[in-house]
């Protein structure tokens, strides 16, 4: 490293794009629909939904006696939702061997009472159910959670360091796998339902990320997501062409592969990228190709 001029460093430090900010560990984002595999599993586990039941979607869900429209399950409830997200490591540090990792935010009745001294409202449950509202995650937490999905609920501490060599005797100390927790399903078939749904996202005829499945040499389980940066009024249209670039939706995609024997879990968040299917998913495909297909 030959150094950097004061002018160049100031340009990096003061840039509105924040290039020196470690987004993977310190960035906190609404996860959008990438939480739906977890909520889907929660629904199956609590018998709130069944795999064969079909529900007609009008594009919104409206609480009884409530004028504002929402779009997600009201029956699961915030308590079970928060509990399930916690099982998969969202809203708390992973404990990675680095610095600057942030907690994210896992909203709950207790959190809102403690922080805002207010009760929890049913509408907030529905907003949390689509990965918006107060719910915030780091990209690392999101990757850790999809890794746990791939391993039937086993969640491990991520590491950057593979091994350490001691100077005095050249002994190599390997960084072992540390199990942080495991969610054990009531019925093993529930894992299969969620896995099949995530595979259909990439390999199904109507999958939202089917574009990255073209000529792919392995099977992927994934989920696309889009997260709003700012609130849109009830009857207001979101017009991407008229919105400033910094206010456009974040694009998200989570995945793991190969489905039969997972080796890699990926979480991609493209700030203001707008579309998870066409922006975030192709990036994940390139990462997985490089890891699984290119020679070491």
């Amino acid at each position: 490293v030959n150094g950097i001029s004061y002018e160049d460093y100031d340009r990096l430090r003061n840039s509105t794009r924040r290039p020196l900010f470690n987004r993977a560990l310190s960035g906190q984002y609404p996860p959008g629909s990438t939480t739906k595999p977890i909520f889907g599993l929660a629904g199956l586990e609590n018998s709130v939904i069944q795999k064969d039941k079909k529900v007609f979607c009008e594009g919104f869900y409206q609480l009884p006696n409530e004028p504002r429209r929402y779009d997600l399950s009201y029956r699961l409830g915030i308590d079970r939702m928060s509990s399930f997200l916690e099982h998969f490591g969202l809203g708390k540090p992973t404990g990675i061997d680095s610095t600057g990792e942030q907690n994210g935010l896992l909203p709950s009745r207790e959190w809102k009472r403690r922080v805002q001294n207010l009760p929890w409202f049913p509408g907030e449950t529905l907003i949390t159910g689509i990965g918006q509202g107060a719910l915030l995650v780091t990209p690392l937490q999101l990757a850790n959670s999809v890794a746990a999905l791939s391993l039937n609920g086993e969640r491990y501490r991520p590491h950057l360091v593979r091994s350490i060599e001691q100077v005095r005797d050249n002994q190599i100390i390997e960084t072992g796998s540390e199990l942080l927790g495991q969610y054990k399903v009531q019925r093993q078939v529930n894992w299969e339902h969620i896995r099949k749904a995530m595979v259909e996202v990439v390999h199904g005829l109507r999958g939202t990320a089917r574009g990255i499945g073209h000529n792919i040499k392995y099977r992927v389980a994934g989920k696309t997501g889009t997260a709003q940066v700012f609130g849109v009024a009830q009857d207001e249209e979101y017009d991407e062409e008229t919105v400033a670039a910094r206010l456009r939706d974040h694009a998200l995609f989570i995945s793991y592969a190969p489905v039969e024997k997972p080796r890699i879990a990926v979480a991609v968040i493209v700030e203001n990228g707008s579309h998870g299917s066409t922006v975030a998913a192709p990036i994940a495909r390139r990462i997985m190709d490089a890891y699984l297909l290119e020679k070491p």
Side-chain angles (χ1 to χ4, degrees):
V1 176
N2 296 319
I4 185 171
S5 70
Y6 288 112
E7 292 78 10
D8 286 344
Y9 184 74
D10 281 342
R11 191 177 299 114
L12 292 174
R13 186 179 60 182
N14 298 319
S15 170
T16 56
R17 294 180 179 271
R18 304 178 71 193
L20 300 181
F21 180 55
N22 187 343
R23 288 163 169 79
L25 273 65
S26 303
Q28 300 180 99
Y29 304 87
S33 294
T34 59
T35 54
K36 286 184 178 178
I38 298 176
F39 289 143
L41 181 63
L44 292 170
E45 285 284 278
N46 289 280
S47 300
V48 171
I49 56 174
Q50 294 78 40
K51 76 176 184 69
D52 297 322
K53 184 175 181 179
K54 295 183 179 180
V55 178
F56 176 71
C57 176
E58 298 180 79
F60 63 88
Y61 178 83
Q62 193 163 352
L63 287 169
N65 303 316
E66 169 63 50
R68 188 168 176 85
R69 295 170 177 174
Y70 301 91
D71 179 24
L72 195 47
S73 172
Y74 170 60
R75 293 175 294 162
L76 194 57
I78 189 60
D79 297 323
R80 288 186 290 195
M81 288 166 60
S82 293
S83 175
F84 249 77
L85 292 177
E86 187 173 13
H87 282 310
F88 288 87
L90 300 182
K92 57 185 177 183
T94 65
I96 191 172
D97 46 356
S98 186
T99 59
E101 184 180 17
Q102 293 297 308
N103 294 344
L105 178 57
L106 183 57
S108 64
R109 296 178 193 273
E110 183 277 329
W111 164 81
K112 191 177 180 189
R113 178 68 70 182
R114 171 170 46 83
V115 174
Q116 301 181 7
N117 195 31
L118 291 171
W120 185 266
F121 298 110
E124 294 174 293
T125 300
L126 305 183
I127 295 174
T128 303
I130 57 172
Q132 296 276 177
L135 178 61
L136 296 173
V137 303
T138 68
L140 180 62
Q141 286 176 0
L142 208 54
N144 200 225
S145 70
V146 72
L149 282 171
S150 76
L151 297 173
N152 289 359
E154 291 184 354
R155 183 168 51 87
Y156 290 87
R157 186 186 307 279
H159 288 284
L160 295 174
V161 176
R162 175 173 292 180
S163 62
I164 299 172
E165 181 178 357
Q166 296 195 38
V167 176
R168 64 177 182 273
D169 55 8
N170 296 326
Q171 181 183 359
I172 303 295
I173 301 175
E174 298 287 340
T175 300
S177 298
E178 181 182 351
L179 184 66
L180 295 178
Q182 180 176 12
Y183 177 77
K184 296 183 179 180
V185 291
Q186 299 177 36
R187 296 189 305 152
Q188 185 64 26
V189 70
N190 288 341
W191 281 123
E192 300 307 318
H193 296 328
I194 298 301
R195 182 176 291 111
K196 181 180 178 181
M198 294 180 69
V199 170
E200 287 292 302
V201 168
V202 176
H203 301 280
L205 292 177
R206 294 185 296 173
T208 53
R210 62 187 179 278
I212 70 166
H214 182 65
N215 289 334
I216 199 166
K217 296 180 180 180
Y218 49 88
R219 289 211 308 158
V220 179
K223 182 68 185 80
T224 57
T226 302
Q228 288 183 346
V229 176
F230 70 100
V232 178
Q234 172 63 38
D235 297 314
E236 184 179 340
E237 290 286 337
Y238 172 80
D239 186 354
E240 180 181 318
E241 298 301 321
T242 62
V243 173
R246 62 182 178 83
L247 295 178
R248 290 176 184 168
D249 295 343
H250 295 326
L252 301 95
F253 185 69
I254 60 171
S255 60
Y256 67 85
V259 172
E260 297 76 15
K261 192 174 181 180
R263 292 175 53 202
I264 182 172
V266 178
V268 175
I269 299 178
V270 181
E271 291 179 352
N272 314 118
S274 297
H275 305 290
S277 58
T278 57
V279 177
I283 295 172
R285 165 74 190 268
R286 292 198 293 271
I287 293 170
M288 291 183 289
D289 279 353
Y291 190 84
L292 296 172
L293 304 180
E294 294 181 11
K295 293 182 179 180

